[in-house]
Amino acid sequence: MKMNLWKNLTDQHPTQVKENQLGRLLKDRKVGQPLRYGHLGMIPLFGSECTKAPYALPETALSLTKVTNYGQMILKNSGNRPAIVPLNLGYFQLGAQNHAMCTSWVLNAGEEKEFKDACCIQESQGGYIKESDDRFIVLPHSLRKAALALKGKEEYGKLWQSISVFNTQLGLKARGHLDEMKQAFQPELLQTVYHLEPQPEQTGAIFLLNDEIAGIELAPDAAFWAELHTPLVMYCYAPLRLAEAHAQRPAAKGEALNVNGLTSFKMLKERYEALQHKRVKTAETLLAEVGEITYSSTKEQENKEHRLFTVRAGAFAGQMVMHGNQMAYASLFNEKVAMV
């Protein structure tokens, strides 16, 4: 799915949403003003089917309490509501083995669970990670296909080769240390967050790489998204821009504001507002077209009224959480975009 949000508006194709179309997942989501930073774009989404905020906040409630062995990590939900473990959640910690999840999960209030199929993301580093208040990360987009394919496989070094290839895409050493990226590009990663900052009441986003959809991210409510946004943008999507820059591929250029013949600030304001309106309408068309893609799902977990599914939809794969019949959370990545 590719569309330049900064070109002319295309015709919309309204259709009745079917239960097996992505439009079902995107129900009640509305687009906001698209943002762009070089090769990377973000269409903020607003609204949600989950109006009662049934989930604990991910950074506030979730913590890595212990690594029992390499590739085995214990997560705890200290909140008083169920907590969704974001897909590919991980942790960096100085002087110990860094780990990440291959899957999402739903933990009950106060529940602690050991995940034996986690990935060690720091090759040949001694020591076990300890409980920490550090911000969690989300695995880079380029590693998500490999990580999801390895869920259920208990082998702590299973992602090292993919991390090594990923590092070379950024011009770094070919080794299975994911924190090579963090050490080399911390300022650039933060700059991406500043340019693609979260909007008030945002509940999700569509991320684009050179105007092609790279991922669809949905949170149950605005408070959940506010905690998920920074680690998601900084560690999952910002590296896509870094890889494009290292490969010296030019960023797609959007439609510029026409300043020819301006005679007043009023005219400038009118042209700017018209351009912004056109971009939103184009984003709405893109959302409608994505909604027509059919998907299939496999249930991975059923926890009372919460159900976790692995999803495949055309070029997209990932996971989603349903709260009863409501779409609560989804993280879908385009497998054809920048995968190792």
Side-chain angles (χ1 to χ4, degrees):
M1 177 65 65
K2 188 170 184 177
M3 178 183 294
N4 191 332
L5 299 184
W6 287 264
K7 289 185 178 179
N8 292 333
L9 176 67
T10 61
D11 294 333
Q12 295 194 36
H13 302 283
T15 183
Q16 185 176 358
V17 176
K18 300 177 181 179
E19 284 300 311
N20 66 335
Q21 291 181 326
L22 289 183
R24 173 65 189 86
L25 279 65
L26 296 164
K27 183 181 177 182
D28 294 339
R29 309 278 174 164
K30 307 297 181 184
V31 304
Q33 186 62 238
L35 302 175
R36 178 196 285 272
Y37 181 42
H39 305 81
L40 198 60
M42 180 184 79
I43 302 173
L45 299 176
F46 302 88
S48 171
E49 283 192 290
C50 290
T51 57
K52 297 181 180 179
Y55 294 100
L57 305 184
E59 189 172 55
T60 299
L62 292 172
S63 61
L64 174 59
T65 62
K66 188 178 182 182
V67 169
T68 54
N69 203 342
Y70 295 128
Q72 300 178 6
M73 52 193 284
I74 296 178
L75 291 179
K76 181 178 180 179
N77 172 19
S78 60
N80 57 10
R81 292 175 291 172
I84 297 173
V85 178
L87 179 61
N88 302 142
L89 170 145
Y91 291 89
F92 283 145
Q93 190 181 62
L94 183 64
Q97 278 281 6
N98 301 323
H99 282 69
M101 295 275 291
C102 290
T103 183
S104 181
W105 204 255
V106 180
L107 296 175
N108 292 322
E111 182 182 2
E112 189 173 74
K113 177 177 174 57
E114 181 180 25
F115 295 90
K116 295 185 177 182
D117 64 339
C119 297
C120 172
I121 54 175
Q122 193 173 14
E123 184 179 2
S124 302
Q125 168 68 44
Y128 291 152
I129 199 168
K130 301 179 178 64
E131 184 173 3
S132 173
D133 293 329
D134 295 343
R135 178 184 293 275
F136 66 80
I137 70 165
V138 177
L139 283 179
H141 182 278
S142 299
L143 298 172
R144 303 192 90 180
K145 178 180 179 180
L148 185 62
L150 292 169
K151 66 181 176 62
K153 182 178 181 180
E154 298 181 16
E155 182 184 332
Y156 64 87
K158 57 190 176 182
L159 204 59
W160 288 351
Q161 180 58 36
S162 295
I163 294 173
S164 180
V165 174
F166 166 74
N167 281 339
T168 64
Q169 292 177 345
L170 302 183
L172 302 173
K173 295 179 182 178
R175 60 200 298 246
H177 279 54
L178 189 57
D179 61 350
E180 289 276 346
M181 172 194 69
K182 184 176 185 291
Q183 297 298 324
F185 295 110
Q186 183 79 357
E188 289 87 348
L189 297 173
L190 283 170
Q191 286 171 11
T192 306
V193 178
Y194 298 152
H195 282 84
L196 304 181
E197 62 182 2
Q199 306 300 297
E201 300 305 313
Q202 185 175 346
T203 60
I206 295 176
F207 290 95
L208 304 105
L209 182 66
N210 290 325
D211 299 320
E212 182 174 5
I213 296 178
I216 302 170
E217 308 287 346
L218 306 175
D221 53 54
F224 191 105
W225 181 261
E227 292 201 350
L228 179 61
H229 180 93
T230 294
L232 189 66
V233 173
M234 185 170 178
Y235 294 109
C236 183
Y237 288 100
L240 292 175
R241 184 182 64 82
L242 297 176
E244 292 293 293
H246 176 70
Q248 298 184 334
R249 287 187 283 267
K253 294 182 179 180
E255 183 179 13
L257 180 65
N258 180 11
V259 296
N260 294 327
L262 287 174
T263 58
S264 66
F265 284 113
K266 180 181 179 182
M267 185 181 297
L268 175 63
K269 181 174 181 292
E270 289 174 348
R271 289 188 186 180
Y272 176 76
E273 290 177 346
L275 179 60
Q276 296 292 79
H277 177 71
K278 179 186 292 187
R279 289 174 176 172
V280 170
K281 298 301 290 184
T282 304
E284 290 175 347
T285 301
L286 179 62
L287 190 71
E289 292 180 348
V290 171
E292 295 178 6
I293 300 174
T294 59
Y295 75 90
S296 60
S297 61
T298 303
K299 186 163 63 177
E300 306 285 357
Q301 179 197 15
E302 186 159 9
N303 185 346
K304 298 180 180 178
E305 69 269 38
H306 317 288
R307 291 170 294 150
L308 169 69
F309 297 88
T310 295
V311 178
R312 297 205 170 270
F316 297 95
Q319 292 188 317
M320 67 177 183
V321 173
M322 299 292 294
H323 176 245
N325 292 322
Q326 296 179 329
M327 166 53 54
Y329 167 85
S331 185
L332 306 179
F333 51 86
N334 186 341
E335 294 184 320
K336 295 182 179 180
V337 173
M339 291 296 175
V340 297

PDB file of all heavy atoms in Angstrom, residues 2-18:
ATOM      1  N   LYS A   2       0.836   1.999  -1.080  1.00  0.00           N
ATOM      2  CA  LYS A   2       1.702   3.167  -1.189  1.00  0.00           C
ATOM      3  C   LYS A   2       0.901   4.335  -1.722  1.00  0.00           C
ATOM      4  O   LYS A   2       0.182   4.232  -2.699  1.00  0.00           O
ATOM      5  CB  LYS A   2       2.887   2.859  -2.103  1.00  0.00           C
ATOM      6  CG  LYS A   2       3.945   3.958  -2.108  1.00  0.00           C
ATOM      7  CD  LYS A   2       5.182   3.479  -2.824  1.00  0.00           C
ATOM      8  CE  LYS A   2       6.298   4.518  -2.751  1.00  0.00           C
ATOM      9  NZ  LYS A   2       7.527   4.054  -3.377  1.00  0.00           N
ATOM     10  N   MET A   3       1.030   5.461  -1.027  1.00  0.00           N
ATOM     11  CA  MET A   3       0.349   6.659  -1.478  1.00  0.00           C
ATOM     12  C   MET A   3       1.108   7.860  -0.963  1.00  0.00           C
ATOM     13  O   MET A   3       1.516   7.896   0.198  1.00  0.00           O
ATOM     14  CB  MET A   3      -1.091   6.688  -0.951  1.00  0.00           C
ATOM     15  CG  MET A   3      -1.864   7.943  -1.342  1.00  0.00           C
ATOM     16  SD  MET A   3      -3.506   7.961  -0.622  1.00  0.00           S
ATOM     17  CE  MET A   3      -4.239   6.589  -1.478  1.00  0.00           C
ATOM     18  N   ASN A   4       1.332   8.845  -1.804  1.00  0.00           N
ATOM     19  CA  ASN A   4       2.017  10.051  -1.372  1.00  0.00           C
ATOM     20  C   ASN A   4       0.995  10.989  -0.747  1.00  0.00           C
ATOM     21  O   ASN A   4       0.137  11.541  -1.435  1.00  0.00           O
ATOM     22  CB  ASN A   4       2.704  10.723  -2.566  1.00  0.00           C
ATOM     23  CG  ASN A   4       3.648  11.813  -2.112  1.00  0.00           C
ATOM     24  OD1 ASN A   4       3.460  12.421  -1.066  1.00  0.00           O
ATOM     25  ND2 ASN A   4       4.675  12.050  -2.918  1.00  0.00           N
ATOM     26  N   LEU A   5       1.106  11.189   0.558  1.00  0.00           N
ATOM     27  CA  LEU A   5       0.136  12.019   1.267  1.00  0.00           C
ATOM     28  C   LEU A   5       0.282  13.488   0.923  1.00  0.00           C
ATOM     29  O   LEU A   5      -0.563  14.292   1.280  1.00  0.00           O
ATOM     30  CB  LEU A   5       0.298  11.841   2.778  1.00  0.00           C
ATOM     31  CG  LEU A   5       0.080  10.428   3.288  1.00  0.00           C
ATOM     32  CD1 LEU A   5       0.165  10.416   4.789  1.00  0.00           C
ATOM     33  CD2 LEU A   5      -1.236   9.882   2.819  1.00  0.00           C
ATOM     34  N   TRP A   6       1.366  13.851   0.264  1.00  0.00           N
ATOM     35  CA  TRP A   6       1.603  15.247  -0.043  1.00  0.00           C
ATOM     36  C   TRP A   6       1.373  15.540  -1.531  1.00  0.00           C
ATOM     37  O   TRP A   6       1.761  16.566  -2.039  1.00  0.00           O
ATOM     38  CB  TRP A   6       3.015  15.627   0.390  1.00  0.00           C
ATOM     39  CG  TRP A   6       3.079  15.716   1.876  1.00  0.00           C
ATOM     40  CD1 TRP A   6       2.957  16.845   2.637  1.00  0.00           C
ATOM     41  CD2 TRP A   6       3.235  14.648   2.803  1.00  0.00           C
ATOM     42  NE1 TRP A   6       3.026  16.532   3.963  1.00  0.00           N
ATOM     43  CE2 TRP A   6       3.206  15.209   4.109  1.00  0.00           C
ATOM     44  CE3 TRP A   6       3.387  13.272   2.694  1.00  0.00           C
ATOM     45  CZ2 TRP A   6       3.333  14.435   5.257  1.00  0.00           C
ATOM     46  CZ3 TRP A   6       3.512  12.519   3.836  1.00  0.00           C
ATOM     47  CH2 TRP A   6       3.487  13.100   5.094  1.00  0.00           C
ATOM     48  N   LYS A   7       0.717  14.599  -2.221  1.00  0.00           N
ATOM     49  CA  LYS A   7       0.315  14.830  -3.604  1.00  0.00           C
ATOM     50  C   LYS A   7      -1.189  15.050  -3.649  1.00  0.00           C
ATOM     51  O   LYS A   7      -1.870  15.117  -2.640  1.00  0.00           O
ATOM     52  CB  LYS A   7       0.721  13.645  -4.488  1.00  0.00           C
ATOM     53  CG  LYS A   7       2.236  13.564  -4.713  1.00  0.00           C
ATOM     54  CD  LYS A   7       2.573  12.452  -5.691  1.00  0.00           C
ATOM     55  CE  LYS A   7       4.073  12.399  -5.943  1.00  0.00           C
ATOM     56  NZ  LYS A   7       4.451  11.315  -6.873  1.00  0.00           N
ATOM     57  N   ASN A   8      -1.720  15.110  -4.850  1.00  0.00           N
ATOM     58  CA  ASN A   8      -3.137  15.407  -5.007  1.00  0.00           C
ATOM     59  C   ASN A   8      -4.017  14.322  -4.407  1.00  0.00           C
ATOM     60  O   ASN A   8      -3.673  13.143  -4.397  1.00  0.00           O
ATOM     61  CB  ASN A   8      -3.491  15.565  -6.494  1.00  0.00           C
ATOM     62  CG  ASN A   8      -2.845  16.802  -7.081  1.00  0.00           C
ATOM     63  OD1 ASN A   8      -2.581  17.763  -6.363  1.00  0.00           O
ATOM     64  ND2 ASN A   8      -2.591  16.773  -8.383  1.00  0.00           N
ATOM     65  N   LEU A   9      -5.151  14.714  -3.906  1.00  0.00           N
ATOM     66  CA  LEU A   9      -6.127  13.799  -3.324  1.00  0.00           C
ATOM     67  C   LEU A   9      -6.675  12.865  -4.387  1.00  0.00           C
ATOM     68  O   LEU A   9      -7.034  13.280  -5.480  1.00  0.00           O
ATOM     69  CB  LEU A   9      -7.280  14.610  -2.699  1.00  0.00           C
ATOM     70  CG  LEU A   9      -8.457  13.846  -2.116  1.00  0.00           C
ATOM     71  CD1 LEU A   9      -7.983  13.066  -0.895  1.00  0.00           C
ATOM     72  CD2 LEU A   9      -9.560  14.800  -1.714  1.00  0.00           C
ATOM     73  N   THR A  10      -6.707  11.572  -4.083  1.00  0.00           N
ATOM     74  CA  THR A  10      -7.288  10.601  -5.012  1.00  0.00           C
ATOM     75  C   THR A  10      -8.744  10.360  -4.654  1.00  0.00           C
ATOM     76  O   THR A  10      -9.215  10.731  -3.579  1.00  0.00           O
ATOM     77  CB  THR A  10      -6.528   9.273  -4.941  1.00  0.00           C
ATOM     78  OG1 THR A  10      -6.627   8.755  -3.613  1.00  0.00           O
ATOM     79  CG2 THR A  10      -5.067   9.452  -5.284  1.00  0.00           C
ATOM     80  N   ASP A  11      -9.459   9.716  -5.557  1.00  0.00           N
ATOM     81  CA  ASP A  11     -10.869   9.426  -5.290  1.00  0.00           C
ATOM     82  C   ASP A  11     -11.000   8.430  -4.157  1.00  0.00           C
ATOM     83  O   ASP A  11     -10.236   7.480  -4.054  1.00  0.00           O
ATOM     84  CB  ASP A  11     -11.538   8.845  -6.546  1.00  0.00           C
ATOM     85  CG  ASP A  11     -11.599   9.866  -7.664  1.00  0.00           C
ATOM     86  OD1 ASP A  11     -11.619  11.072  -7.355  1.00  0.00           O
ATOM     87  OD2 ASP A  11     -11.612   9.441  -8.837  1.00  0.00           O
ATOM     88  N   GLN A  12     -11.982   8.629  -3.297  1.00  0.00           N
ATOM     89  CA  GLN A  12     -12.234   7.694  -2.220  1.00  0.00           C
ATOM     90  C   GLN A  12     -13.077   6.532  -2.737  1.00  0.00           C
ATOM     91  O   GLN A  12     -13.795   6.641  -3.714  1.00  0.00           O
ATOM     92  CB  GLN A  12     -12.956   8.390  -1.071  1.00  0.00           C
ATOM     93  CG  GLN A  12     -12.114   9.469  -0.415  1.00  0.00           C
ATOM     94  CD  GLN A  12     -12.690   9.896   0.914  1.00  0.00           C
ATOM     95  OE1 GLN A  12     -13.231   9.080   1.667  1.00  0.00           O
ATOM     96  NE2 GLN A  12     -12.578  11.173   1.213  1.00  0.00           N
ATOM     97  N   HIS A  13     -12.948   5.388  -2.063  1.00  0.00           N
ATOM     98  CA  HIS A  13     -13.669   4.188  -2.460  1.00  0.00           C
ATOM     99  C   HIS A  13     -14.429   3.659  -1.252  1.00  0.00           C
ATOM    100  O   HIS A  13     -13.991   2.719  -0.589  1.00  0.00           O
ATOM    101  CB  HIS A  13     -12.694   3.129  -2.989  1.00  0.00           C
ATOM    102  CG  HIS A  13     -11.879   3.614  -4.138  1.00  0.00           C
ATOM    103  ND1 HIS A  13     -12.366   3.728  -5.404  1.00  0.00           N
ATOM    104  CD2 HIS A  13     -10.599   4.030  -4.197  1.00  0.00           C
ATOM    105  CE1 HIS A  13     -11.419   4.186  -6.208  1.00  0.00           C
ATOM    106  NE2 HIS A  13     -10.343   4.383  -5.493  1.00  0.00           N
ATOM    107  N   PRO A  14     -15.543   4.272  -0.910  1.00  0.00           N
ATOM    108  CA  PRO A  14     -16.278   3.822   0.265  1.00  0.00           C
ATOM    109  C   PRO A  14     -16.783   2.401   0.081  1.00  0.00           C
ATOM    110  O   PRO A  14     -17.174   1.994  -1.009  1.00  0.00           O
ATOM    111  CB  PRO A  14     -17.450   4.816   0.344  1.00  0.00           C
ATOM    112  CG  PRO A  14     -17.601   5.342  -1.051  1.00  0.00           C
ATOM    113  CD  PRO A  14     -16.222   5.360  -1.624  1.00  0.00           C
ATOM    114  N   THR A  15     -16.726   1.644   1.140  1.00  0.00           N
ATOM    115  CA  THR A  15     -17.178   0.257   1.077  1.00  0.00           C
ATOM    116  C   THR A  15     -17.703  -0.159   2.435  1.00  0.00           C
ATOM    117  O   THR A  15     -17.334   0.426   3.454  1.00  0.00           O
ATOM    118  CB  THR A  15     -16.039  -0.683   0.658  1.00  0.00           C
ATOM    119  OG1 THR A  15     -16.552  -2.014   0.539  1.00  0.00           O
ATOM    120  CG2 THR A  15     -14.920  -0.685   1.686  1.00  0.00           C
ATOM    121  N   GLN A  16     -18.555  -1.117   2.462  1.00  0.00           N
ATOM    122  CA  GLN A  16     -19.074  -1.630   3.716  1.00  0.00           C
ATOM    123  C   GLN A  16     -18.006  -2.516   4.363  1.00  0.00           C
ATOM    124  O   GLN A  16     -17.483  -3.437   3.749  1.00  0.00           O
ATOM    125  CB  GLN A  16     -20.353  -2.430   3.481  1.00  0.00           C
ATOM    126  CG  GLN A  16     -21.019  -2.903   4.773  1.00  0.00           C
ATOM    127  CD  GLN A  16     -22.333  -3.605   4.507  1.00  0.00           C
ATOM    128  OE1 GLN A  16     -22.756  -3.693   3.355  1.00  0.00           O
ATOM    129  NE2 GLN A  16     -22.995  -4.060   5.544  1.00  0.00           N
ATOM    130  N   VAL A  17     -17.693  -2.203   5.610  1.00  0.00           N
ATOM    131  CA  VAL A  17     -16.643  -2.939   6.299  1.00  0.00           C
ATOM    132  C   VAL A  17     -17.120  -4.342   6.633  1.00  0.00           C
ATOM    133  O   VAL A  17     -18.201  -4.538   7.170  1.00  0.00           O
ATOM    134  CB  VAL A  17     -16.229  -2.210   7.597  1.00  0.00           C
ATOM    135  CG1 VAL A  17     -15.199  -3.036   8.361  1.00  0.00           C
ATOM    136  CG2 VAL A  17     -15.656  -0.842   7.264  1.00  0.00           C
ATOM    137  N   LYS A  18     -16.286  -5.328   6.317  1.00  0.00           N
ATOM    138  CA  LYS A  18     -16.588  -6.708   6.629  1.00  0.00           C
ATOM    139  C   LYS A  18     -15.782  -7.142   7.847  1.00  0.00           C
ATOM    140  O   LYS A  18     -14.762  -6.553   8.173  1.00  0.00           O
ATOM    141  CB  LYS A  18     -16.264  -7.600   5.429  1.00  0.00           C
ATOM    142  CG  LYS A  18     -17.057  -7.245   4.171  1.00  0.00           C
ATOM    143  CD  LYS A  18     -16.644  -8.117   2.998  1.00  0.00           C
ATOM    144  CE  LYS A  18     -17.411  -7.735   1.736  1.00  0.00           C
ATOM    145  NZ  LYS A  18     -17.004  -8.549   0.571  1.00  0.00           N
TER     146      LYS A  18
END
